Amino acid sequence: MTYTLYAEVVLPLPLPRVFSYAVPEEFVSKLQFGIRVEVPFGKNKRYSALVVSLSNTPPEGYKVKPIINILDDEPIIYPVQYQFWKWIAGYYFSTVGEVMNAALPAYLKLSGETNILLSPLYSDNFEHLSEKEYLIASALKNREEFSIDEARKILDQKTVMPIIKKMLDEKIIYLHETLKEKYKPKKVLCVRYAEPYASDSSKLAQAFELTKSAPKQTETLLAYAQLSKTKTDIRKQELYKMANSSAAALNGLVKKGILEIYDKNISRIETYDDDLAQAHPLTAQQTRAIGEIDRHFEEKNTVLLHGVTGSGKTRVYIEKIWEAISNGGQVLYILPEIALTSQIIGRLRQIFGDDIVVYHSRLNNNERVEIWQQVLEGKPIVLSARSGVFLPFQHLKLLIVDEEHDQSFKQFDPAPRYHGRDAGLMLANLFKAKSILGTATPSLETYVNAKNNKYGLVSMPDRFGNIMLPKIFLVDLKKEAKEHKLQSHFSSFLLDEIKATLANKQQVILFQNRRGYAPTLTCNACGWYSECKNCDIGLTYHKYSDNLRCHFCGFHQKLPHACPTCGTQPLTLAGFGTQKIEEELKIFFPQAKTGRMDYDTTGGKTGFERIINAFDAREIEILVGTQMVTKGLDFDNVGLVGIMSADQLLFFPDFRAAERAFQQMTQVSGRAGRKNKRGKVVIQAFQSTHPVIKDVMDGQFETFIQRELAERKAFGYPPYMRLIRLTIKHRQYQNVETGAKLVAHILNRGIKGQVIGPAWHAIPRIRNQYQMTILIKLSRQKGILAHTRSILDQAIVSLKSQKGLSGVRVNVDVDPY
Ligand code: ADP
Ligand code: ZN
Ligand code: ZN
């Protein structure tokens, strides 16, 4: 067989390069950049891969195989997306295949018929697999590929998804996926005039003549005539509703050849049917901010919009969005949490209607494919979590990063471990688009860039309506305890303030950054405490499910009656989480309606929305929550915010602890008194003299940031230095130690930076994997990152080639959070 065309493709595997395939004659005319093709790889395995370039000369050095099939008619990305993937892969020490996996929506769900196959990168080393993983892996070795249903039979158990999911996450197996098989358009039945009425409306009088003896049919036809004046594709159900009729009447009309029924492919994405509203007139502060942004944009691509909580930043974004889309541009608006999208989208939909779509991880796969296609076709505005940076924009003009300081912009697992804000800025750069980073509490990184004139800086120091920022009270818990004024976790001051707020018919938010009921169960006699059997960490007691749970691996067990070591009973619950706070509220305020917003109550696509809407509608008077309640939410009747334990935020073994504590306390305070009336905040703390608390109380961002920057500089941390954190993992303790020492040794000899560690991770064992960390500190000099990567790649290769160490994994996190 001779070929005239060759295609380079990206495989959905963590491979460092692209691969060439021959294009059979029948596909030559259809082949182009950005379409997906099915290719063989490894021993008899097939993958869907993405075409990234074409050439007439065969690659040298290996025998090419032909493409098996073409999966798309049209490209699913533009060249700029591929450039972006390459940048992410390079900067975050990942591979283009991994970035592609993160970027493209999983066109399929894990369904019973989905086939799984063994990764060709996964050598024969099965030794660190669990027993069940081993059974699946070895069966795949013999049989190449089989369905998930088949895996059920092999393991002789119903629940296999968690095992499959874990093996997928660890890249032991892959899914056999194709776009065509999986994406199914959604159809509805619609009604229209049949011929000759469709093309000749003068004949309609005759149609009414035909229904004279059937009044229900007449009504239905009238309703149709009415609806069709303003709409096309009228659904059967709509017609029934309008005519107050049923299928019988419509069927009659169809039989008489007046109307006909047809299938219509519709979008799963909700459409906005209400009337559009005018945006509010701008305040003087907003007008000034917009003017300053425009002036900065003449020379700079990025502006930091530093506006206090409730200053009305959203209205400024709206103005800039208008401008961008009316010039034919697209806008990407990213937020750190999907919880926030539900509130913001309500505000933006009123103005932009169906010009805006929402994209995040809780959408189902079909919905994600539809949004992908809408963006590909030029949808003007996307509101999304960090993954929105991967959507196939073609004319991006403006990027908005709201709450830019938020740590949830960072992807943790799996690779690529990218930062939504930083990746977004790179994307904007590729498009020569402008970016606005908005926040009340800028990250140190961004603030330094603004101070160094790399970014423009625009401030909005006043709240909308000139309402004052909340008054903050500090309660010294040590003193309260000494004076016996502390009732469990509530100071008498906080209790009084809650009471007064409720009496004023205002609402309360209580912030406690720990979910569950109590984080430790201990024996006072022998010191035993409940610990996860898979991880080196305590189990949290959950009252509603009445069990102990591990927040890392999900392991749970019944509460022991007595100490398993010495038999003492009862055991003591120590510490407190959101469930306990909610329970205690019921004792102190039996009449009040309480609600809780944390990971346990916000599952599903609408979990957040339910709670946010209930609080907005004042069906909840006191809302208890984890960090989820601290972020950009906008309620108009919150009189009081309580921070249950500032200590817990401040004393955290991490160089960002102070920054994070300042941000969280300032942000959660910002939920109070946003409209109408000044609000109050109560901070409870044992270490009440901590300087960060003082800065929060005084609203002294500048004091805080100068002190913090000085410390970062003195100890060599970001934003002055760049960090890379390596996590070395294996089931065998000894292998982790040996492997980590080897990697550190090679790095030490090769890189132009500092290597710290290896040291055991704060939680030495998670999910039965031991883990050590190595921290690399680099200067921000150009080229140093690429050099470090080449040394690290060498280190990993030599690690994997050591006898017994091939299964040791090294996760790389550039700019860790
Ligand atoms: P931020 O994001 O800066 O914390 P928001 O954009 O949420 O603040 O605005 C705070 C509140 O003020 C919101 O309820 C918003 O509707 C209101 N608001 C802001 N600007 C205007 C305006 N120009 N006219 C009327 N209301 C406004
Ligand atoms: Zn005991
Ligand atoms: Zn665990």
Side-chain angles (χ1 to χ4, degrees):
M1 194 73 176
T2 58
Y3 297 102
T4 55
L5 190 65
Y6 300 87
E8 279 194 326
V9 304
V10 178
L11 284 157
L13 302 170
L15 297 165
R17 60 189 200 83
V18 291
F19 287 81
S20 280
Y21 287 86
V23 184
E25 199 49 47
E26 55 188 310
F27 298 142
V28 165
S29 65
K30 290 188 184 157
L31 219 73
Q32 55 174 317
F33 170 90
I35 65 166
R36 303 196 310 155
V37 290
E38 189 170 354
V39 295
F41 189 77
K43 245 199 324 171
N44 297 324
K45 296 193 177 70
R46 293 170 169 203
Y47 294 93
S48 59
L50 193 95
V51 176
V52 291
S53 72
L54 297 171
S55 140
N56 297 111
T57 45
E60 282 177 21
Y62 61 94
K63 198 169 160 287
V64 282
K65 293 181 193 163
I67 284 170
I68 299 169
N69 225 329
I70 289 194
L71 302 174
D72 300 310
D73 299 327
E74 299 289 332
I76 59 167
I77 61 165
Y78 296 104
V80 63
Q81 272 79 42
Y82 182 50
Q83 262 178 289
F84 180 57
W85 295 359
K86 286 195 285 194
W87 179 82
I88 297 232
Y91 186 86
Y92 292 105
F93 289 27
S94 173
T95 64
V96 176
E98 284 176 309
V99 180
M100 179 173 81
N101 273 345
L104 298 181
Y107 285 104
L108 66 156
K109 265 205 185 108
L110 291 181
S111 74
E113 303 94 79
T114 305
N115 272 5
I116 51 176
L117 29 106
L118 199 61
S119 163
L121 302 178
Y122 206 80
S123 53
D124 296 348
N125 176 5
F126 290 166
E127 76 186 38
H128 77 276
L129 298 183
S130 72
E131 192 187 328
K132 284 174 181 165
E133 290 170 346
Y134 176 80
L135 283 174
I136 291 179
S138 51
L140 279 172
K141 206 165 172 240
N142 293 329
R143 292 178 37 200
E144 298 301 344
E145 142 168 7
F146 50 72
S147 68
I148 290 176
D149 282 339
E150 195 65 22
R152 289 199 171 93
K153 285 188 202 143
I154 291 168
L155 297 185
D156 193 23
Q157 65 183 46
K158 273 230 173 73
T159 343
V160 297
M161 286 309 180
I163 300 168
I164 300 290
K165 170 111 192 345
K166 180 157 173 272
M167 293 179 80
L168 283 169
D169 287 348
E170 297 189 343
K171 307 201 168 59
I172 301 165
I173 58 169
Y174 281 90
L175 296 178
H176 188 131
E177 47 184 301
T178 59
L179 168 62
K180 286 212 166 129
E181 290 160 17
K182 292 299 174 183
Y183 172 68
K184 291 209 177 58
K186 186 170 169 181
K187 289 184 192 308
V188 289
L189 294 176
C190 292
V191 179
R192 66 187 168 209
Y193 286 127
E195 289 299 349
Y197 312 104
S199 41
D200 188 354
S201 57
S202 68
K203 295 219 164 75
L204 277 177
Q206 296 168 21
F208 279 103
E209 206 47 40
L210 289 172
T211 64
K212 229 165 56 188
S213 56
K216 270 287 166 200
Q217 289 182 15
T218 308
E219 269 168 49
T220 306
L221 188 55
L222 268 173
Y224 179 79
Q226 191 64 32
L227 280 169
S228 65
K229 273 189 201 147
T230 55
K231 284 182 90 166
T232 51
D233 298 325
I234 293 153
R235 298 187 196 186
K236 269 166 64 172
Q237 303 305 332
E238 263 177 288
L239 183 59
Y240 297 160
K241 205 168 138 208
M242 173 93 172
N244 195 15
S245 68
S246 67
L250 178 60
N251 289 342
L253 289 164
V254 171
K255 256 201 205 121
K256 287 178 181 162
I258 301 169
L259 295 179
E260 62 184 22
I261 294 171
Y262 64 100
D263 263 350
K264 161 96 184 140
N265 284 350
I266 56 147
S267 168
R268 285 184 174 76
I269 315 303
E270 245 178 85
T271 54
Y272 182 77
D273 294 329
D274 290 344
D275 293 335
L276 296 186
Q278 287 284 329
H280 292 296
L282 295 165
T283 62
Q285 178 174 248
Q286 285 163 341
T287 307
R288 178 186 49 76
I290 291 164
E292 289 181 21
I293 291 173
D294 290 342
R295 228 163 310 129
H296 283 300
F297 277 168
E298 285 168 18
E299 305 150 23
K300 300 188 173 97
N301 291 327
T302 308
V303 165
L304 164 60
L305 180 60
H306 182 192
V308 298
T309 54
S311 55
K313 294 184 283 296
T314 319
R315 181 65 187 83
V316 173
Y317 304 149
I318 288 172
E319 200 65 14
K320 296 307 294 172
I321 294 172
W322 259 127
E323 193 186 298
I325 65 170
S326 51
N327 291 322
Q330 289 174 296
V331 177
L332 171 61
Y333 184 143
I334 56 173
L335 284 158
E337 282 269 351
I338 30 179
L340 283 175
T341 59
S342 70
Q343 240 192 10
I344 296 271
I345 195 66
R347 285 159 77 176
L348 297 183
R349 275 259 160 85
Q350 285 179 10
I351 299 185
F352 299 108
D354 287 337
D355 277 350
I356 184 164
V357 285
V358 190
Y359 187 72
H360 56 65
S361 58
R362 294 218 183 155
L363 297 176
N364 69 36
N365 289 313
N366 278 322
E367 289 168 329
R368 290 218 242 174
V369 174
E370 286 192 10
I371 290 177
W372 188 274
Q373 277 160 357
Q374 289 187 1
V375 176
L376 202 60
E377 287 158 17
K379 181 61 86 180
I381 315 164
V382 178
L383 178 71
S384 83
R386 64 170 174 269
S387 58
V389 296
F390 291 120
L391 286 167
F393 293 98
Q394 195 183 7
H395 302 293
L396 190 69
K397 273 244 169 69
L398 177 67
L399 167 74
I400 293 168
V401 183
D402 203 2
E403 312 296 346
E404 71 80 26
H405 63 277
D406 200 294
Q407 56 171 322
S408 348
F409 274 122
K410 187 76 200 280
Q411 158 82 9
F412 180 60
D413 247 343
R417 297 180 178 83
Y418 66 100
H419 193 295
R421 173 197 62 213
D422 300 342
L425 287 172
M426 187 58 204
L427 183 74
N429 194 21
L430 290 173
F431 279 99
K432 304 203 172 0
K434 302 291 182 189
S435 305
I436 303 175
L437 311 180
T439 176
T441 51
S443 64
L444 270 64
E445 280 80 357
T446 299
Y447 200 70
V448 165
N449 280 328
K451 282 287 163 181
N452 292 341
N453 270 323
K454 195 172 155 200
Y455 300 166
L457 174 60
V458 175
S459 307
M460 292 172 63
D462 303 318
R463 276 196 154 179
F464 171 73
N466 287 322
I467 296 178
M468 282 170 80
L469 282 166
K471 187 163 171 53
I472 305 181
F473 300 90
L474 176 63
V475 178
D476 178 353
L477 291 180
K478 264 192 219 148
K479 189 157 161 274
E480 287 265 319
K482 219 187 274 158
E483 295 168 4
H484 303 288
K485 285 205 227 143
L486 198 55
Q487 301 194 50
S488 187
H489 306 290
F490 290 84
S491 59
S492 56
F493 186 81
L494 180 56
L495 287 174
D496 289 345
E497 288 298 329
I498 295 176
K499 203 161 157 196
T501 308
L502 295 179
N504 270 336
K505 300 259 172 289
Q506 285 189 306
Q507 292 162 290
V508 178
I509 290 178
L510 298 179
F511 170 41
Q512 167 58 8
N513 207 13
R514 192 166 252 164
R515 66 193 171 94
Y517 188 84
T520 35
L521 178 67
T522 54
C523 169
N524 287 340
C526 74
W528 170 90
Y529 75 102
S530 63
E531 207 177 20
C532 178
K533 67 173 183 144
N534 306 318
C535 316
D536 291 334
I537 191 120
L539 294 171
T540 298
Y541 175 54
H542 281 241
K543 182 127 186 170
Y544 297 92
S545 45
D546 193 27
N547 59 14
L548 296 166
R549 291 181 169 271
C550 172
H551 288 179
F552 283 88
C553 72
F555 168 78
H556 50 90
Q557 67 176 48
K558 275 221 160 65
L559 207 61
H561 294 295
C563 173
T565 315
C566 73
T568 301
Q569 57 174 338
L571 293 162
T572 316
L573 285 168
F576 63 109
T578 46
Q579 288 185 357
K580 186 151 192 225
I581 296 298
E582 196 188 11
E583 184 183 87
E584 291 181 352
L585 282 172
K586 293 201 168 113
I587 300 168
F588 296 128
F589 304 98
Q591 313 293 339
K593 287 169 281 181
T594 62
R596 181 159 55 87
M597 183 149 110
D598 57 29
Y599 180 84
D600 302 310
T601 61
T602 53
K605 199 159 45 175
T606 55
F608 297 110
E609 246 170 291
R610 239 185 20 248
I611 296 169
I612 290 171
N613 291 345
F615 193 63
D616 226 357
R618 309 188 186 182
E619 286 153 20
I620 294 173
E621 291 166 290
I622 309 177
L623 181 66
V624 183
T626 55
Q627 39 79 32
M628 288 179 185
V629 299
T630 66
K631 307 191 174 176
L633 295 166
D634 183 40
F635 302 110
D636 59 10
N637 189 41
V638 179
L640 175 69
V641 165
I643 298 172
M644 301 305 296
S645 164
D647 308 279
Q648 214 192 69
L649 303 172
L650 289 163
F651 300 99
F652 211 80
D654 180 75
F655 75 93
R656 285 189 210 273
E659 180 183 7
R660 206 169 284 159
F662 179 86
Q663 288 164 350
Q664 286 186 330
M665 286 194 269
T666 306
Q667 289 287 347
V668 75
S669 303
R671 303 313 113 207
R674 291 169 72 84
K675 281 236 176 116
N676 317 321
K677 213 174 131 190
R678 188 179 189 193
K680 285 184 185 175
V681 175
V682 175
I683 300 178
Q684 301 194 130
F686 281 98
Q687 305 291 328
S688 56
T689 54
H690 197 289
V692 170
I693 297 180
K694 186 167 186 318
D695 295 336
V696 171
M697 295 187 59
D698 301 344
Q700 279 306 335
F701 179 73
E702 202 55 50
T703 318
F704 162 74
I705 208 156
Q706 292 311 337
R707 190 182 54 242
E708 189 61 20
L709 283 174
E711 278 197 18
R712 299 276 183 96
K713 196 166 203 169
F715 295 100
Y717 278 106
Y720 300 103
M721 302 289 274
R722 199 196 301 279
L723 297 184
I724 299 175
R725 182 163 51 212
L726 308 180
T727 311
I728 294 96
K729 298 188 186 188
H730 194 266
R731 285 175 86 84
Q732 240 112 48
Y733 163 96
Q734 192 53 51
N735 289 350
V736 175
E737 201 158 46
T738 317
K741 278 187 182 148
L742 178 73
V743 170
H745 178 70
I746 298 173
L747 288 173
N748 250 322
R749 266 192 341 206
I751 68 163
K752 299 183 188 120
Q754 196 187 346
V755 179
I756 302 165
W760 286 103
H761 193 277
I763 306 161
R765 189 182 49 127
I766 289 187
R767 295 168 208 266
N768 277 324
Q769 300 258 343
Y770 287 92
Q771 45 180 14
M772 291 188 95
T773 53
I774 296 174
L775 201 60
I776 302 174
K777 274 189 189 174
L778 300 172
S779 75
R780 299 218 163 241
Q781 224 175 309
K782 259 209 158 72
I784 218 162
L785 214 49
H787 178 256
T788 307
R789 179 171 196 175
S790 70
I791 305 286
L792 179 60
D793 285 346
Q794 287 167 25
I796 293 174
V797 168
S798 62
L799 168 75
K800 299 268 178 190
S801 65
Q802 300 284 313
K803 198 161 173 289
L805 297 187
S806 65
V808 175
R809 286 205 295 146
V810 182
N811 284 350
V812 188
D813 192 355
V814 178
D815 301 340
Y817 263 74

